Amino acid sequence: MKKVVLSIAIVIATSLTSCKNETKQENKITTDVSKEMAMSDISFGVRGNCGMCKNTIEKAVNNIAGVSKANWDVEKKKIDVIFDDSKTNELAIHKAIATSGYDTDKVLGSDEVLSKFARMLSIRS
């Protein structure tokens, strides 16, 4: 009788342990899929001219929470951005670029930043 009870206890313990491990794997897969689904990529025009513009534009975008990558192409005058759309959105990215002094397809650059930049250039000349 002891052997029967012990055998049943071992079978129950084994089945509970294996079910627990399957549940953990299922949660991990769901989390990975959720992260992939939240990522978005966009591309749009940003007016700028040089390598210094590139640095400023990319820095403005990369400082936004949720942005994982930003690359502005000097020749094409376009930026490619990969971001977590649960943390930020396209308009916030346009506004950050405009705040740094550059026009985008949706938002005009800050006049205040542009005038400071113009003063810096006139001082250096």
Side-chain angles (χ1 to χ4, degrees), residues 6-106:
L6 184 59
S7 298
I8 293 173
I10 290 173
V11 169
I12 291 173
T14 305
S15 65
L16 290 176
T17 305
S18 65
C19 290
K20 188 176 180 182
N21 288 339
E22 288 175 15
T23 304
K24 284 183 180 179
Q25 285 182 338
E26 217 172 280
N27 288 341
K28 184 180 181 210
I29 291 168
T30 304
T31 303
D32 291 343
V33 171
S34 298
K35 286 180 183 175
E36 288 177 19
M37 291 175 67
M39 297 305 282
S40 296
D41 60 328
I42 56 173
S43 181
F44 57 88
V46 179
R47 289 164 218 32
N49 296 312
C50 61
M52 190 166 76
C53 298
K54 177 178 175 66
N55 291 338
T56 304
I57 292 165
E58 289 177 357
K59 182 178 179 182
V61 176
N62 283 317
N63 283 335
I64 301 170
V67 171
S68 62
K69 184 178 179 185
N71 182 41
W72 183 69
D73 187 314
V74 178
E75 298 295 319
K76 294 179 182 176
K77 311 279 191 239
K78 289 206 175 270
I79 190 165
D80 298 312
V81 184
I82 299 173
F83 65 98
D84 181 344
D85 60 8
S86 68
K87 295 181 180 178
T88 192
N89 59 48
E90 183 176 355
L91 186 58
I93 294 168
H94 280 270
K95 287 181 179 179
I97 294 169
T99 300
S100 71
Y102 296 90
D103 295 345
T104 73
D105 295 343
K106 293 184 178 181

